[in-house]
Amino acid sequence: MKIPRWLRATIPPTIVVILLLLSWESWVRLQNVKPYVLPAPSRVWAAFWRVRPQLGHHLGITLAETSLGIVLGAAVGFVVAVAIASSSWLRRAIEPLLLASQTIPLIVLAPLLVLWFGFGLTPKVLVVVIIVFFPVSVATSAAMLATDADQIDLVRSLGATRFQVLRHVKLPSALPAFFAGLRISATYAVAGAVYGEVIGGDGLGRFIEGSRRNSKVDQVLVGVILIALLSAALLGLVQIFSRIATPWTYLRNDNESLN
Amino acid sequence: MKRLLRTLFSVAVLGGFAAACGSATKTDAKAASPGSTAKVTIVLDWTPNTNHSGVYLAKQKGYYRNAGLDVTIIEPGDNGALSQLAAGNAQFGFSYAEQVLPARAEGVPVVSIAAVIQHNTSSLVGPADRGIKGPADLAGKTYGGFGGELETALVKALVRCDGGDPEKVKFAEVGDVDFRVGFERKDFDFVWVFDGWDVIKLRDLGGMPLTTLAFIDHTDCIPDWYTPTLVTTESFVAKDPQIVKAFLAATAQGYRLAMSDPGSAVAALTAAAPESDPALLAKSAAYLATRYAERPQLWGHQEAKVWFDFERFLRRSGLTTKDLDTTKAFTNDFLPA
């Protein structure tokens, strides 16, 4: 009997998750671990059920911050990548600054952003933008610089302008890298937004911080799981866009997997 | 609930920031003319809790609205309200005397406009089995805190007054941990908490036998001070005194209701922060109902001597170096008559 592809993909992680939950639950019960240290999964589930009505509000805010941040961060990363790839002078000028932007610890930067931009969405979106744009711009610009020289020569010989070379050769060849960068970014983006929320404001970060200060570790873990699920959902979304925008890469992968 | 001290470290940064910003405050507040509403923002000092009861009640019961105020309540992280006030992101905030005075010493023009609780309700607490009977017994024990200078100064002063050797106290920087876990793991023997929150959480709800040394029982040795207190900036007081008055009148009404009907405070807090522990809120609200003020009409009132004595203690302990005029650090002028 042939097992469907999607089942082959989902069965192993499901088994691992179930095993992990079972051992966690039995460890807590056997060792009598206090719920304010580590609540059992069953207790976390009960907490989820209890706080369910509150979660939509927090999720909505965190989702808004994260998606705005990802879109803006991807746009900024893309523009930076084009700038880097189109002029070696710009590359030398921008690259050190790019690196410097990533050396500032978020724990230092986020409180300052809240101080400068207040308590609204802005500072959290900015945290996400800072997290997102870097992998995108690095991956994309590297791919654009690595575009097959023969292809460029060919299009040039047909009379293409600089812009046409960018539009028809460099960009398409860099798109897979762009999405690879975005996938890395999307993984961290939610955590970045939540971090900003802990510093000041609303959303899942506030829910987690408030729960912690009420010694409700089970609610904290509900928040943690939601962050993971939200990240996974965003990652899936990026994957879908990637499939639509660069169908050829998936085609090749499918062929390879058949061999 | 000893969220207070970390901010002391940021005061120096804050001073620089205030200097850089000058008096450029970008407040949204409009003058409270009849019929119009003024938008103001208040920054809490911590996760919503019973110290904030009056503000949440004033908002929920419409006292602010009736006073022509549209109040937004913001929860900060541990960075507290003062920097946000200095940056003009908010008009009012919850702070503490131990933040207000060092901030003023750094040139941050914040002023305390109401004492939220009439006396300090902080204590040093430890598990009952650590053999702590009085402050002198803290010698040889480990204090778990943020490593702040005020913490060190207060603990040492208490031990010294009681005839113990202050140099024998061990100080562990533990930060924002769960105290119960730290006690059980013997990471530390005593901590500094608010009676109305952590003591209730540990002892009444957690069933942990505790020894508590209340600061207010040792005023022969250490000063009383206002913690928390409501603050605003000098520039806002000068620009919009009517809004400050209206805000405090409505807020006082909220705290008076919290005193006469603690249950209403629990309801308001639960509605605003449903992630809270309702049992903790209920016990805490009942505890504070008799402590916000001696009589409801006195809520918010601050005494010059309390500010003066506390400033002297800070300076003697080396926490502030400048001679501060404490009469400028607070005002009762905007409290309802």
Side-chain angles (χ1 to χ4, degrees), chain B residues 18-266:
Chain B
C21 286
S23 56
T25 47
K26 41 177 197 280
T27 70
D28 291 336
K30 310 260 163 7
S33 54
S36 76
T37 42
K39 285 176 85 71
V40 293
T41 299
I42 176 163
V43 190
L44 308 182
D45 54 327
W46 210 65
T47 293
N49 64 77
T50 42
N51 282 356
H52 311 133
S53 292
V55 171
Y56 277 105
L57 275 172
K59 186 169 167 79
Q60 208 196 46
K61 299 278 178 192
Y63 304 157
Y64 287 138
R65 199 171 47 244
N66 295 341
L69 297 172
D70 177 7
V71 176
T72 307
I73 303 171
I74 296 285
E75 295 162 35
D78 286 330
N79 291 286
L82 294 190
S83 54
Q84 298 295 343
L85 291 186
N89 291 329
Q91 288 72 46
F92 299 102
F94 279 83
S95 186
Y96 319 91
E98 68 263 42
Q99 279 181 352
V100 170
L101 291 175
R104 286 188 65 86
E106 293 293 333
V108 184
V110 287
V111 53
S112 167
I113 50 174
V116 175
I117 305 171
Q118 195 177 6
H119 296 289
N120 192 344
T121 56
S122 307
S123 290
L124 297 180
V125 312
D129 61 10
R130 304 289 156 97
I132 299 168
K133 301 233 154 40
D137 301 324
L138 298 176
K141 301 283 187 298
T142 303
Y143 170 79
F146 286 95
E149 288 177 275
L150 179 62
E151 297 173 277
T152 316
L154 277 160
V155 169
K156 287 190 170 176
L158 284 168
V159 173
R160 192 178 302 114
C161 286
D162 201 37
D165 180 357
E167 298 312 314
K168 290 220 173 100
V169 182
K170 293 187 275 284
F171 291 88
E173 275 185 48
V174 296
D176 203 356
V177 295
D178 191 295
F179 293 139
R180 182 156 48 174
V181 176
F183 284 148
E184 284 171 358
R185 272 206 310 247
K186 305 228 173 1
D187 291 343
F188 41 78
D189 303 303
F190 66 106
V191 295
W192 171 355
V193 297
F194 278 124
D195 290 355
W197 192 261
D198 286 294
V199 169
I200 290 173
K201 199 159 90 175
L202 292 166
R203 185 183 59 199
D204 301 351
L205 301 175
M208 177 178 246
L210 290 182
T211 309
T212 70
L213 306 172
F215 286 0
I216 201 68
D217 294 341
H218 295 90
T219 43
D220 51 328
C221 175
I222 55 167
D224 187 14
W225 73 93
Y226 295 121
T227 168
T229 155
L230 282 176
V231 295
T232 186
T233 59
E234 283 179 354
S235 57
F236 193 67
V237 163
K239 195 168 125 283
D240 281 312
Q242 289 314 312
I243 292 183
V244 179
K245 249 197 161 90
F247 175 80
L248 274 191
T251 307
Q253 203 182 342
Y255 278 103
R256 286 168 190 164
L257 183 61
M259 296 177 77
S260 61
D261 180 11
S264 66
V266 176

Side-chain angles (χ1 to χ4, degrees), chain A residues 34 36-37 54 58 111 114-116 118-119 198-201 206-207 209-216 219, chain B residues 17 43 46-47 74-79 83-84 87 89 176 178 180-181 184 197 201 272 274-277 280:
Chain A
K34 302 269 175 20
Y36 52 84
V37 178
Q54 309 166 31
H58 297 302
V114 173
L115 187 61
W116 295 332
F119 297 105
V198 170
I199 302 299
R206 198 210 88 165
F207 172 78
E209 191 68 352
S211 300
R212 187 176 68 82
R213 278 155 166 186
N214 281 273
S215 291
K216 293 195 168 287
Q219 288 179 200
Chain B
F17 185 79
V43 190
W46 210 65
T47 293
I74 296 285
E75 295 162 35
D78 286 330
N79 291 286
S83 54
Q84 298 295 343
N89 291 329
D176 203 356
D178 191 295
R180 182 156 48 174
V181 176
E184 284 171 358
W197 192 261
K201 199 159 90 175
E275 70 274 14
S276 317
D277 181 346
L280 175 55

